[in-house]
Amino acid sequence: MQSFDHDAVPPPRGAILETGPQEHLDALCRTASELFGAPIALIPLIDEDRFWFRARCGVEEDGADRESAFCNHTIRRARGQALVVPDLTEDPRFAHSPLVVGPPRARFYAGVAIGSITGRTIGTFCIIDIEARPDFSATQVRALQELALLAEAHLQLHERRDAAAAEALARAEAEERLVEREAALRVTQAAHAMAERTACFGHWRIDVRRRTIAWSAGIARIFGRNDALRPLSIDEHIALYHADDRAGVRRTVEEALAGRGSGETGGYDHRSRVIRPDGEERVVTVHGIAQHDDTGRLVALYGVCLDVTDLARSERQQREAGESLRTTLEAMGQGLMMIDPDGRIRVHNQRARTLLGLPDAVLHEGARYAELLRFQAESGEFRTAPPEVREWLLGDSPRPPISRYERIRPNGVVVEVNIAPTSSGGTVCTYTDVTERRHGEAALRAAEADYQSLFHNAVIGVYRAGLDGVIVQANRALVRLHGYGEGSGILVPETDFGHDWYVEPERHAAFLDLLHRDGRVEDFVSEVRRHAGGETIWVSETAWLIPGADGAPAGYEGTVADATERKRAEALVEHMARHDTLTGLPNRRLFHEVLGRAIAEARRRGGRVAVLCCDLDRFKAVNDTFGHPAGDALLRVVAERLRGALREGDMVARLGGDEFAIILSDPDEARRIASVARRIITSLARPVDLDGLSAVVGVSIGIAIGPEDGDGPETLFKNADIALYRAKDSGRNTFRFYERGMDAAVATRNLLELDLREALRSGGFALHYQPIFAVADGAPSGFEALLRWNHPVRGPVSPAEFISVAEESGLIAPMGTWALNEACREAAGWPGEMRVAVNVSAVQFRKQGLEQAVIRALAASGLPARRLELEITESVLMQDSDAVIGCLHRLRALGVRIALDDFGTGYSSLSYLCRFPFDKIKVDRSFVRDLDNPVAAAIVHAIVGIGERLGSTITAEGVETEEQLGRLRHKGCTEVQGFLLSRPLAAEDARAFMRGRIVAAA
């Protein structure tokens, strides 16, 4: 709470307190009484020791002592802020007030501080109840604040009117010849009074979050629009202002919406023009304050809008009249009178008559000077003259030995009088209007005081220095920046306090060089050492040269702001731009910068640089199985282990995902590089504990050594990446050095991927169908769909060559969807219950949408689900067995048959057979080929036995001889397929094959 002395001042007695009719303000008091159900509503204005009731409702008294008044506390608040006392008897400030313990025995008080046109608090708008009001809501507080704004607007109109009237009266008394102007001024005053009586008010509220404004009916009348009072967007509202004023209104509103409103209220004030629908231009004054919630967040702006068109017109007319008057007065120069030895006026000019306000009957040639002095004395002209001069002019004493004096006329004009004797015994008097000069001198003194206040109280350092850098004047903020406390006082020239405080000595010379060269220095950021304490901080300086009397630079002025936090923020941003946020390792950008410098240094010294491209093996499985948080934790562990595997001077960076890169500076020989690679592989092979879950990953490493494998950063890194591909192709969890020719293999692989994409786009794939026969009767039970690619240049490409590329590149998913749709469409035209089997890759299970793809293919083709068979390998079940088995159960529930392909190779786990009832188990062709081997024969026999007990069909692949067929029949296989029985057939050949079987059966 601020003190009264700083916030409230009594208004001039002749201004607001003694104004005439109070109908508008009394009406506001009655409105408040009815609106809030309070018997008493007042507009008290402060005097030296009393509150005068400018308007009232519910009381007969015309005022109250300040000491006992509740409003004496309200005026200590900022303009527009409210003081609400729900129960006066419970508040120690008011419990013993005469107004509480005696009539009217008040129990509740709410008041809002109101101000004058100068912004100072002059009184309150308040309501008083004889009952406690604990339920007085925030909405009611805002309503009271809006009424207070209206009262404040009325009072300010009175102030402006009275000020205009006072100015007009002063001018009217200046000279008789301005009678016409005085009449015009009275007309203007009457127009002002009429504008006040007929002024149109309205209130508004801006919702900060929605960026909308709600009008009252009063504003709709002012703008001549929106009679329905529909909430408008800020843009719609601003568009109603004059085109020349919109930018200023928008800037004012946006500043307030951003929490940078003016004054303590956080709102804004502006006077602007609005255009009504009929094209009429109206001038409005808008005053608003900010509304915050309990957390201090800005939620709304609200206030009043006053139509001041007539007032603006009157002010313009007054300004024009004043300018004409000033021009006339300036043209007349000094007033002059010459008095002869007999005491009669012989010579005078019109300026003297005008300046002194003398009528023709008093001032004319031959008039007695003594009569003129008597007239002036009776008019009170000499009340402010020096005593000895006043006594002389009144004839009570001889003329004093004085030749010049000043006096203030009753109309406020300051007249400088010069008296000079003539040789003949007469006197010459000149009269000069020095009012503006004296006012200017007072304003200059006030401006100097304001400047000193701003200078010393600025939040940034401000100083003035000589060309040698010695500070001759500094404010408190600069004193604090230099490390001195508040008690150290203001720096003065005697301190010999220099500006040379830079940590880097050459910065001072650089600062002065820039200043002398350009005349100004902007945002000169340096690290400096405080004179007191010796701590170092960062500062931003702006300075400019100031010229001396001869125009040459005499020194410089400047500002200093603490930039320490800014530098810290810039350093943090710079660090983040070059480092990975997850692991803290350098990122790709910093890696390439360091690699470029390392290669340049190696070239200069004739040394070598090694780049190791590292890609984690099985990381995606960990990510998919345990989740991304676990994957992030794993990457942080990997980063730490990579750091531990290197020596000081080496660098490891994370390039993205599970890709890392290492720079080994000046490796002495390839054996050391290989040793580092083995150490990394061994370190990363150790299990990682992820919050109780154990995860194991590996790493593949490609190595390139410069300058042999590349003399530039891009080439060296590219060749290390090529070596990484070779390491992955070699079985992963290993490392390979770059060798010439590797890039050709990578290029071939990349070309193959491009050709695959083109084949997928242009329809370059086809399906061939290999019949599957029942062992019991030799009849075909279905076909397995096999993907074929006839390259336009290379001819047929083996699936063994392109399927792995498709899986690595992710193309297997759209290829698999195409194969599923094509196989279902083709099989829908086959006779009977002939089934089609389609292979599904593990990659398709990792991606979302396999179930939807199956459903769409069946729906589009019309193929019954029971005639579709999906073949999966055991590797599919390894990646996320719970999710995969859940998907298989849902597909089987649709009627789709599920076959386990290549059973017994690589990852066989009988637990999968227990968790999912496969419709078919397919024996891999490798066991069929090696049936002569007792182990292979035993495995086939075991698979058949498992199938019989689980009720699954057993299909043997790759049957190429009659002997293999006989043995499989003997071991109990249910179905067979292979070149012995039929090669894969094109679609039309498969249809012809089925027609032939039907004819043969007939």
Side-chain angles (χ1 to χ4, degrees):
M1 180 180 293
Q2 296 175 322
S3 69
F4 167 79
D5 290 337
H6 288 120
D7 281 326
V9 294
R13 289 286 301 181
I16 299 177
L17 292 179
E18 297 180 1
T19 52
Q22 307 174 6
E23 291 86 358
H24 289 86
L25 298 179
D26 284 340
L28 279 178
C29 290
R30 291 193 296 274
T31 299
S33 177
E34 293 172 2
L35 178 61
F36 301 106
I40 299 173
L42 304 169
I43 301 179
L45 301 183
I46 57 174
D47 203 345
E48 295 297 337
D49 56 0
R50 189 171 177 82
F51 277 95
W52 295 97
F53 298 158
R54 179 63 180 81
R56 60 186 181 270
C57 174
V59 297
E60 295 300 326
E61 293 81 7
D62 62 352
D65 292 338
R66 281 180 57 173
E67 288 301 321
S68 61
F70 308 135
C71 296
N72 206 31
H73 294 267
T74 306
I75 61 175
R76 291 180 170 89
R77 293 176 173 260
R79 170 185 173 192
Q81 289 190 351
L83 171 64
V84 178
V85 185
D87 191 339
L88 292 163
T89 62
E90 295 182 0
D91 191 316
R93 296 175 296 176
F94 311 110
H96 303 293
S97 171
L99 300 177
V100 176
V101 300
R105 297 192 181 280
R107 289 291 301 279
F108 167 79
Y109 170 85
V112 178
I114 58 179
S116 69
I117 57 177
T118 64
R120 303 300 296 269
T121 302
I122 61 170
T124 69
F125 188 100
C126 66
I127 58 174
I128 300 174
D129 201 344
I130 59 176
E131 299 290 336
R133 300 282 289 273
D135 56 345
F136 199 76
S137 66
T139 301
Q140 291 174 306
V141 172
R142 289 194 297 272
L144 182 62
Q145 289 173 324
E146 292 177 356
L147 288 175
L149 285 174
L150 289 176
E152 184 178 82
H154 279 290
L155 291 172
Q156 291 180 4
L157 279 176
H158 279 295
E159 286 188 89
R160 289 189 174 93
R161 183 197 65 187
D162 293 340
E167 181 182 355
L169 182 59
R171 289 175 180 158
E173 294 175 351
E175 62 177 344
E176 232 175 288
R177 295 184 63 183
L178 296 179
V179 174
E180 290 183 3
R181 291 187 179 88
E182 181 181 2
L185 185 59
R186 284 196 297 271
V187 171
T188 301
Q189 291 172 328
H192 277 203
M194 182 180 298
E196 179 184 355
R197 290 192 298 272
T198 60
C200 182
F201 298 94
H203 64 272
W204 50 265
R205 186 176 188 275
I206 294 178
D207 188 311
V208 174
R209 183 176 64 83
R210 293 187 175 91
R211 289 180 63 83
T212 59
I213 183 169
W215 288 0
S216 70
I219 294 185
R221 287 192 295 272
I222 294 173
F223 281 71
R225 305 172 185 269
N226 193 22
D227 293 337
L229 302 182
R230 175 179 62 85
L232 304 178
S233 70
I234 296 298
D235 291 338
E236 290 176 313
H237 175 74
I238 294 176
L240 303 180
Y241 283 88
H242 192 285
D244 294 341
D245 295 346
R246 288 173 195 157
V249 174
R250 179 177 297 280
R251 182 167 57 253
T252 301
V253 173
E254 292 296 346
E255 284 290 306
L257 289 175
R260 298 187 294 270
S262 61
E264 296 180 357
T265 65
Y268 60 87
D269 299 90
H270 70 83
R271 174 183 284 195
S272 306
R273 295 166 291 172
V274 298
I275 305 301
R276 293 167 59 90
D278 59 0
E280 181 186 6
E281 181 181 298
R282 306 294 293 177
V283 181
V284 296
T285 293
V286 179
H287 172 63
I289 61 177
Q291 177 186 351
H292 298 83
D293 59 18
D294 293 339
T295 65
R297 181 175 62 89
L298 178 65
V299 296
L301 298 168
Y302 65 93
V304 296
C305 175
L306 175 64
D307 187 341
V308 295
T309 305
D310 293 338
L311 177 61
R313 186 180 301 115
S314 175
E315 290 173 347
R316 184 175 65 254
Q317 292 172 350
Q318 291 179 11
R319 286 194 301 270
E320 292 171 353
E323 290 170 358
S324 298
L325 176 60
R326 284 192 295 272
T327 301
T328 302
L329 293 176
E330 291 170 2
M332 291 181 179
Q334 290 179 316
L336 180 143
M337 290 186 197
M338 181 178 292
I339 302 97
D340 64 14
D342 296 331
R344 293 185 179 275
I345 299 172
R346 294 305 178 187
V347 177
H348 71 279
N349 66 357
Q350 188 61 37
R351 177 58 177 158
R353 182 191 305 277
T354 303
L355 182 59
L356 300 178
L358 299 172
D360 291 343
V362 174
L363 179 59
H364 57 85
E365 288 188 17
R368 295 189 64 83
Y369 186 57
E371 293 296 330
L372 184 146
L373 293 178
R374 185 179 301 111
F375 177 84
Q376 289 183 311
E378 292 173 355
S379 302
E381 292 282 347
F382 304 139
R383 291 174 184 171
T384 61
E388 64 274 22
V389 174
R390 184 169 62 249
E391 293 176 1
W392 166 60
L393 293 173
L394 295 176
D396 297 334
S397 65
R399 172 181 165 180
I402 188 170
S403 61
R404 183 175 60 191
Y405 70 93
E406 286 186 9
R407 60 184 173 87
I408 302 175
R409 295 194 62 225
N411 64 2
V413 174
V414 182
V415 178
E416 180 185 78
V417 182
N418 285 275
I419 305 170
T422 65
S423 59
S424 62
T427 304
V428 175
C429 298
T430 60
Y431 305 91
T432 306
D433 184 348
V434 295
T435 307
E436 291 187 4
R437 185 195 309 167
R438 298 297 177 256
H439 289 175
E441 291 170 354
L444 183 61
R445 289 192 296 271
E448 176 64 19
D450 290 342
Y451 168 77
Q452 290 297 328
S453 176
L454 290 173
F455 179 81
H456 293 308
N457 295 310
V459 296
I460 63 173
V462 184
Y463 68 91
R464 177 174 292 174
L467 292 177
D468 56 359
V470 175
I471 296 175
V472 297
Q473 190 177 12
N475 68 348
R476 297 183 182 93
L478 188 61
V479 171
R480 290 192 294 270
L481 280 176
H482 279 278
Y484 295 102
E486 291 289 346
S488 300
I490 306 301
L491 296 179
V492 294
E494 287 75 12
T495 59
D496 195 26
F497 191 65
H499 193 64
D500 186 6
W501 59 334
Y502 302 97
V503 172
E504 298 180 15
E506 64 273 11
R507 293 293 286 172
H508 187 215
F511 174 82
L512 293 178
D513 288 345
L514 284 173
L515 187 61
H516 286 287
R517 186 191 70 190
D518 301 333
R520 187 177 183 87
V521 176
E522 295 280 354
D523 195 23
F524 190 80
V525 179
S526 311
E527 187 178 16
V528 299
R529 180 170 286 104
R530 288 174 163 169
H531 288 89
E535 304 96 335
T536 60
I537 60 172
W538 287 87
V539 295
S540 171
E541 298 180 77
T542 296
W544 53 93
L545 290 174
I546 52 176
D550 59 355
Y556 60 93
E557 296 174 335
T559 62
V560 184
D562 191 336
T564 305
E565 289 303 320
R566 166 181 157 189
K567 291 295 293 184
R568 289 174 182 165
E570 290 174 352
L572 178 59
V573 170
E574 182 67 18
H575 179 82
M576 293 174 64
R578 286 175 163 76
H579 289 79
D580 174 47
T581 57
L582 177 63
T583 62
L585 294 177
N587 60 12
R588 184 183 296 272
R589 175 182 174 184
L590 182 55
F591 171 80
H592 282 287
E593 291 176 359
V594 173
L595 180 58
R597 291 196 296 268
I599 291 176
E601 179 65 16
R603 185 183 301 116
R604 186 179 64 82
R605 295 185 297 102
R608 308 169 79 196
V609 176
V611 174
L612 285 68
C613 285
C614 306
D615 194 79
L616 300 184
D617 301 328
R618 298 184 297 280
F619 172 73
K620 182 169 178 53
V622 173
N623 226 9
D624 293 342
T625 303
F626 300 131
H628 289 288
D632 290 345
L634 176 62
L635 289 173
R636 284 191 287 268
V637 173
V638 168
E640 193 59 37
R641 291 184 180 180
L642 288 174
R643 286 193 191 99
L646 304 178
R647 68 180 184 181
E648 185 176 355
D650 297 335
M651 174 186 175
V652 57
R654 182 183 177 216
L655 306 183
D658 59 352
E659 300 177 53
F660 295 83
I662 295 171
I663 300 173
L664 300 181
S665 299
D666 201 19
D668 47 4
E669 55 186 11
R671 282 186 302 177
R672 178 191 169 249
I673 301 173
S675 175
V676 172
R678 292 189 190 95
R679 190 160 61 245
I680 291 172
I681 293 172
T682 302
S683 176
L684 297 189
R686 299 198 310 272
V688 178
D689 179 62
L690 300 176
D691 198 14
L693 301 172
S694 180
V696 178
V697 295
V699 61
S700 298
I701 304 174
I703 305 170
I705 304 173
E708 304 96 291
D709 300 333
D711 58 357
E714 293 80 9
T715 304
L716 193 61
F717 179 78
K718 181 194 74 173
N719 290 339
D721 198 44
I722 291 172
L724 173 62
Y725 274 104
R726 180 57 61 88
K728 284 179 171 291
D729 291 341
S730 301
R732 302 176 183 265
N733 211 34
T734 186
F735 66 90
R736 290 291 184 271
F737 284 91
Y738 173 78
E739 298 175 0
R740 297 189 183 279
M742 281 186 177
D743 48 354
V746 172
T748 300
R749 184 262 181 208
N750 292 338
L751 288 175
L752 185 62
E753 179 182 337
L754 292 175
D755 291 344
L756 279 173
R757 293 184 185 277
E758 176 60 23
L760 184 62
R761 187 192 64 81
S762 61
F765 295 109
L767 289 181
H768 285 198
Y769 301 89
Q770 186 172 35
I772 301 173
F773 297 91
V775 174
D777 57 5
S781 59
F783 292 82
E784 179 180 1
L786 302 172
L787 188 63
R788 294 293 183 262
W789 179 26
N790 190 20
H791 192 280
V793 177
R794 299 170 56 186
V797 182
S798 169
E801 185 177 351
F802 71 79
I803 289 296
S804 61
V805 176
E807 288 184 330
E808 289 179 8
S809 63
L811 291 173
I812 194 67
M815 289 168 60
T817 300
W818 175 85
L820 182 64
N821 290 327
E822 180 66 15
C824 290
R825 184 191 64 77
E826 179 66 24
W830 293 348
E833 291 296 313
M834 198 70 67
R835 294 189 298 271
V836 63
V838 179
N839 290 277
V840 180
S841 168
V843 176
Q844 291 175 264
F845 274 91
R846 285 199 296 268
K847 295 182 178 292
Q848 299 294 325
L850 176 61
E851 296 176 55
Q852 291 76 9
V854 171
I855 294 171
R856 284 195 296 268
L858 292 174
S861 64
L863 180 71
R866 65 180 180 276
R867 292 178 56 196
L868 175 62
E869 191 174 86
L870 299 181
E871 294 188 5
I872 68 170
T873 63
E874 298 168 62
S875 61
V876 172
L877 301 170
M878 293 294 294
Q879 58 187 5
D880 190 352
S881 60
D882 291 337
V884 170
I885 289 176
C887 176
L888 295 177
H889 274 293
R890 291 190 293 273
L891 290 172
R892 199 166 188 267
L894 296 175
V896 177
R897 292 168 56 84
I898 307 299
L900 182 59
D901 197 11
D902 299 336
F903 184 73
T905 61
Y907 301 104
S908 297
S909 175
L910 297 178
S911 64
Y912 300 137
L913 298 178
C914 297
R915 296 176 64 187
F916 185 80
F918 289 96
D919 297 287
K920 178 186 290 187
I921 299 175
K922 300 190 73 171
V923 180
D924 187 69
R925 64 181 67 247
S926 61
F927 296 116
V928 174
R929 184 177 59 249
D930 297 334
L931 276 176
D932 292 337
N933 186 312
V935 175
I939 290 174
V940 173
H941 182 73
I943 294 173
V944 171
I946 291 172
E948 289 176 347
R949 287 165 177 77
L950 296 177
S952 302
T953 301
I954 304 299
T955 301
E957 299 180 292
V959 180
E960 298 181 355
T961 65
E962 289 289 349
E963 181 181 2
Q964 291 172 345
L965 178 60
R967 289 189 176 183
L968 293 170
R969 181 183 292 113
H970 175 71
K971 291 187 179 294
C973 284
T974 312
E975 294 177 339
V976 292
Q977 67 182 101
F979 285 0
L980 174 66
L981 305 170
S982 175
R983 289 180 174 273
L985 306 172
E988 59 273 16
D989 295 335
R991 291 194 292 272
F993 173 83
M994 284 183 281
R995 288 195 298 270
R997 300 289 295 198
I998 293 172
V999 171

